[in-house]
Amino acid sequence: MTADDRGLLLGDGLFETVLVRQRHACLWAWHRARLELGLQRLGFPAQDPEWLRGEIEAAAGPGERLVRLTLTRGRGPRGYAPPAEPAVTRLVSAGPEMSRPDPAGATPLRIGFSTIPASVNPALGGIKHLGRLDNVLARMHWREGEDEAILRDAAGRITCATQGNLWLREGTHLVTPPVDEAGIAGTRRAWVLEKAEEFGVSTEVAWPTYERLQAADGLYVSNARLGLAAGVLIGGGAARTEPAALQALRRALHEAD
Amino acid sequence: MTADDRGLLLGDGLFETVLVRQRHACLWAWHRARLELGLQRLGFPAQDPEWLRGEIEAAAGPGERLVRLTLTRGRGPRGYAPPAEPAVTRLVSAGPEMSRPDPAGATPLRIGFSTIPASVNPALGGIKHLGRLDNVLARMHWREGEDEAILRDAAGRITCATQGNLWLREGTHLVTPPVDEAGIAGTRRAWVLEKAEEFGVSTEVAWPTYERLQAADGLYVSNARLGLAAGVLIGGGAARTEPAALQALRRALHEAD
């Protein structure tokens, strides 16, 4: 990397963290959709997404790995104004081989509340841009015993988890906050919203009240590594028995290509 | 730069853009104060600010230049959690020799309204962190004829200018928006708030209403390059004659060490 890259100097870029299984980029259609939205929002020159997919799959070794693709607006002169014809910087890096927690057997995440607010900006909401200080600070401020923490925005709205999207379960109904003002439009979130009905699970995009959060039958956090991982609110009641429909949904996401 | 630097991957860092005149870092006390606040907010290991000042001054050539100091949390493993003992990355780069616009003679900036909102996050408000997409996008979306554009937050509050802090003038009274929820606590802003009274100019930190903005006797934008530069709202009335007190204040800031 050069020291005048706008990704470093201004956070002027995007990334994707892709689960690659046996050199196959899982849920690529959802990654591609989010990446294209981000490129459009930032006004980047056109990229060939299938070529990028090839780079991601080529970087991965055997087994299961997370591969990070980073795209920046490349080098530029000083100041906020980008060059007229930016040369996009592409970085692809593969993590170590890993085994993801089995959705049925994993210990529920213990979820608290972060004191760090989620940034609100409708121009940036949903896209996975490089400015991730909300998440870094929230992660640093997890309290003893927390495996996750919920971020609220400055208006107090329950927005997301530190490392993924947040979900409430009410019977076989799932509720997740909107991502058009804050947070990231997760690929697993998009998959669940699209597929849940096939499993007899209904979904709703809404900012949950505290009362609704406290009364939920269970919580989940979704990201590329965890899939849709179960959690419990610290100080809340124990998670109630999970309906078979949810178990089947989580298993299908775990195995989804 | 290494490709696993957290400044690049996560925007995990801070910067300062320092005016250096004849190898002297101007308004260093204000830069130092903001930098120390940022380091504390991000939980960075302690830095020696006077050593950093020496690096900044050593990087500058003769004449007047802007020198950028960038500090990142350095390299790290994947994920949001920082290493327990980060090794901070320091970058210092000097711009070309330049001549700053004389405050009395400069053409007023033509100021419009940006369609890009300013991000709201009380944990990040005021500090000069690396996630500057608000400013990049606002700069990209300036309309034909604009030299500056005002950013509002998602709640519609008038927050800042694209390239600096915003000021309204009402007689010899200056009004600037707060920076504890959004925007950057500019060094020139801090200097004006501290020194204005010596020039017979009063100051107020408040979110101005649209009515107050439209009715102002003049606008200003402040940053290290411009000092306190005069501007006019596009479609608003012409700037009224500037009182001598304001002229003296702007001259003093232009020459301040």
Side-chain angles (χ1 to χ4, degrees), chain B:
Chain B
M1 289 297 305
T2 59
D4 60 351
D5 191 281
R6 292 173 61 92
L8 169 69
L9 299 180
L10 301 167
D12 194 2
L14 301 162
F15 69 106
E16 292 290 329
T17 307
V18 182
L19 174 67
V20 182
R21 194 162 51 207
Q22 307 303 349
R23 302 190 194 275
H24 171 80
C26 298
L27 270 62
W28 176 249
W30 289 269
H31 284 288
R32 175 178 170 158
R34 178 174 61 192
L35 185 59
E36 289 187 325
L37 175 67
L39 291 167
Q40 186 186 345
R41 287 258 199 101
L42 301 193
F44 270 39
Q47 304 293 310
D48 178 347
E50 290 314 312
W51 185 84
L52 292 170
R53 175 189 183 156
E55 293 290 297
I56 289 165
E57 292 177 345
E64 288 190 340
R65 294 166 198 265
L66 291 171
V67 177
R68 177 170 160 146
L69 166 70
T70 306
L71 298 178
T72 83
R73 210 186 302 261
R75 305 173 72 169
R78 290 170 156 249
Y80 293 129
E85 296 185 12
V88 168
T89 299
R90 289 182 294 268
L91 286 173
V92 183
S93 73
E97 193 169 350
M98 62 175 192
S99 58
R100 290 176 297 142
D102 185 275
T107 310
L109 302 167
R110 293 168 50 85
I111 305 177
F113 283 100
S114 181
T115 56
I116 301 296
S119 291
V120 172
N121 188 334
L124 300 177
I127 66 173
K128 199 158 173 147
H129 62 77
L130 296 176
R132 300 260 64 90
L133 273 175
D134 301 4
N135 309 72
V136 169
L137 293 183
R139 179 65 188 81
M140 287 173 67
H141 288 83
W142 281 2
R143 293 187 188 81
E144 184 78 26
E146 288 180 352
D147 306 311
E148 249 301 348
I150 294 168
L151 277 74
R152 293 155 291 186
D153 67 19
R157 295 179 299 195
I158 291 164
T159 301
C160 57
T162 306
Q163 303 194 123
N165 291 104
L166 180 73
W167 302 81
L168 283 64
R169 183 173 71 76
E170 297 170 340
T172 56
H173 183 66
L174 290 176
V175 185
T176 191
V179 291
D180 42 4
E181 295 189 27
I184 297 173
T187 53
R188 274 60 191 171
R189 177 181 183 277
W191 186 95
V192 170
L193 291 174
E194 195 172 318
K195 304 281 190 188
E197 208 174 327
E198 297 174 19
F199 296 84
V201 173
S202 56
T203 58
E204 176 188 353
V205 175
W207 278 295
T209 60
Y210 284 84
E211 293 68 28
R212 203 170 176 187
L213 184 73
Q214 294 280 353
D217 295 321
L219 300 183
Y220 300 95
V221 174
S222 61
N223 68 27
R225 180 171 56 82
L226 296 171
L228 186 62
V232 290
L233 203 57
I234 296 172
R240 297 187 185 85
T241 307
E242 187 176 60
L246 261 294
Q247 292 175 19
L249 173 69
R250 294 171 64 206
R251 169 65 54 195
L253 175 57
H254 187 75
E255 294 168 358
D257 273 335

